[in-house]
Amino acid sequence: MKTKRSFDFQKYSIYIVLVVLFIACSLISPYFLQKNNLVNVSRQLCVGILIAYGEMLLIINGHLDLSVGSVLALSGVLSVSLFKSTNSMALAIVVALAVGVACNLINGLFVARFNVPAFIATLGMQQIARGIALYYTGGKNILQIRNYVNIGQGMVGPIPVPVIIVIFVTVIIWYIVNHTRYGRAIYAIGGSRSAAEASGINARKTIYTSYIINGILAGLAGVIFMARNNSGLPNGAVGYEMTGLTAAIVGGTSFSGGIGTVSGTVAGAFIIGFLENVMNLLGVNAHIQSIIEGAIIVLAVCFDVVSKSKKTTKVILAKDAAKKEA
């Protein structure tokens, strides 16, 4: 009975933390629960959640992406530029998604085909994508983007347009993770790539697919980010890869691979979003906020490592006990 209670607490602890944090934020700042603030927070969270989904899929798979902030910026500025030339929102979105996928296909090529560590491959892409975005724009922001802003600032009744988009994407990602062969494959590869390949799973194809989905999400996040800021920002979204990683890890995605959920990632994104928002409301220095976010990553990874170590120890002890009884 005690074991069951302990398991349940661990399973739902992230949601308990989220509820406690929400209550604490509402008590700390009188502005937190105001309608305008909650709407702004929801819009800001949308970009972070999309990035976190991509990182979640990659981390479960045993990889990561350090280039997502730069790819987001490149996708966004090219999308804004094309919209200003054609006035076609559909074409602008397609270009953003295509750029995100193209960058991540290169990441996937180096990681899956040439076995380059994901850290190195995506770090290189981080510099390349940012450099292209700055070169293309001359380092200047693209202004006067007209109706492009509707996808980031528009409302459908009381609900912001980005929230509707993210809800739709969340349903798709949840289905992919829980009800497809690809979803089963990423958990198997993250747990043990050699065992997964021995069971017939194509690890290289699965890695490619993970990066492609990550690229689609980065491109879509780029569109929402630029629209929300009412301009194409080649220097925008710096450090957003850390936001995505933090949300995924805090949400229970194991940095060693094989473990992670969509609901946990959403909860992790909300926790990071609420923390950032209440710190802004309280006037906390931006550099202090970076220190806190970095500390959260370290603590979350430490918690994951300790939890896994305890589980492994319990399994070993159980096996030893079973051998002695036999």
Side-chain angles (χ1 to χ4, degrees):
M1 193 68 179
K2 289 182 180 180
T3 304
K4 187 177 187 300
R5 284 177 183 172
S6 176
F7 172 79
D8 286 343
F9 176 78
Q10 187 174 2
K11 182 179 180 181
Y12 298 107
S13 60
I14 185 68
Y15 311 108
I16 296 171
V17 170
L18 177 58
V19 172
V20 171
L21 178 64
F22 181 84
I23 295 171
C25 289
S26 64
L27 294 174
I28 291 171
S29 173
Y31 304 105
F32 181 75
L33 290 178
Q34 289 186 359
K35 180 181 177 182
N36 288 340
N37 183 61
L38 292 177
V39 170
N40 288 333
V41 170
S42 67
R43 286 200 179 103
Q44 292 168 2
L45 277 170
C46 288
V47 173
I49 289 173
L50 291 175
I51 293 173
Y53 285 156
E55 296 288 7
M56 176 197 73
L57 294 174
L58 289 169
I59 295 171
I60 292 173
N61 210 15
H63 301 88
L64 75 153
D65 179 17
L66 296 180
S67 68
V68 67
S70 297
V71 172
L72 183 160
L74 177 60
S75 300
V77 295
L78 291 178
S79 175
V80 168
S81 178
L82 186 66
F83 178 80
K84 290 195 68 173
S85 301
T86 65
N87 206 36
S88 171
M89 194 66 218
L91 187 58
I93 293 173
V94 169
V95 166
L97 300 182
V99 172
V101 169
C103 291
N104 275 272
L105 275 174
I106 296 173
N107 285 336
L109 175 67
F110 281 103
V111 173
R113 180 73 179 180
F114 299 112
N115 294 320
V116 176
F119 176 88
I120 300 299
T122 60
L123 189 62
M125 178 55 69
Q126 180 189 79
Q127 299 298 313
I128 292 169
R130 184 69 65 181
I132 294 173
L134 291 168
Y135 178 79
Y136 178 79
T137 61
K140 298 178 181 179
N141 298 340
I142 302 175
L143 306 176
Q144 299 177 346
I145 62 176
R146 304 187 298 273
N147 293 335
Y148 191 98
V149 300
N150 292 337
I151 200 166
Q153 299 181 16
M155 302 282 287
V156 177
I159 306 174
V161 171
V163 173
I164 295 173
I165 294 172
V166 168
I167 290 173
F168 180 70
V169 171
T170 297
V171 172
I172 294 175
I173 296 296
W174 177 85
Y175 181 82
I176 289 174
V177 169
N178 294 285
H179 297 284
T180 65
R181 182 179 296 177
Y182 162 78
R184 292 188 291 272
I186 60 173
Y187 286 103
I189 294 170
S192 173
R193 178 169 177 170
S194 57
E197 289 179 327
S199 65
I201 293 174
N202 188 329
R204 185 176 293 175
K205 179 181 177 182
T206 303
I207 295 169
Y208 271 121
T209 303
S210 298
Y211 276 105
I212 289 171
I213 296 174
N214 181 57
I216 292 172
L217 294 169
L220 184 57
V223 173
I224 294 174
F225 179 86
M226 300 303 168
R228 183 169 61 82
N229 286 281
N230 194 22
S231 58
L233 306 174
N235 270 317
V238 174
Y240 268 48
E241 52 278 345
M242 298 310 296
T243 300
L245 284 168
T246 305
I249 295 169
V250 169
T253 304
S254 175
F255 205 69
S256 56
I259 298 173
T261 63
V262 172
S263 59
T265 300
V266 172
F270 268 90
I271 288 173
I272 300 304
F274 287 161
L275 277 173
E276 290 179 348
N277 180 250
V278 78
M279 286 191 291
N280 286 330
L281 292 174
L282 295 173
V284 177
N285 185 283
H287 301 303
I288 300 297
Q289 292 187 35
S290 297
I291 293 171
I292 293 172
E293 189 168 330
I296 289 171
I297 294 177
V298 174
L299 290 173
V301 173
C302 286
F303 178 78
D304 173 55
V305 171
V306 171
S307 297
K308 273 203 164 185
S309 177
K310 287 182 178 179
K311 288 179 181 178
T312 302
T313 302
K314 287 180 180 179
V315 170
I316 293 172
L317 291 174
K319 287 183 178 179
D320 290 341
K323 287 180 180 178
K324 288 180 180 178
E325 289 179 2

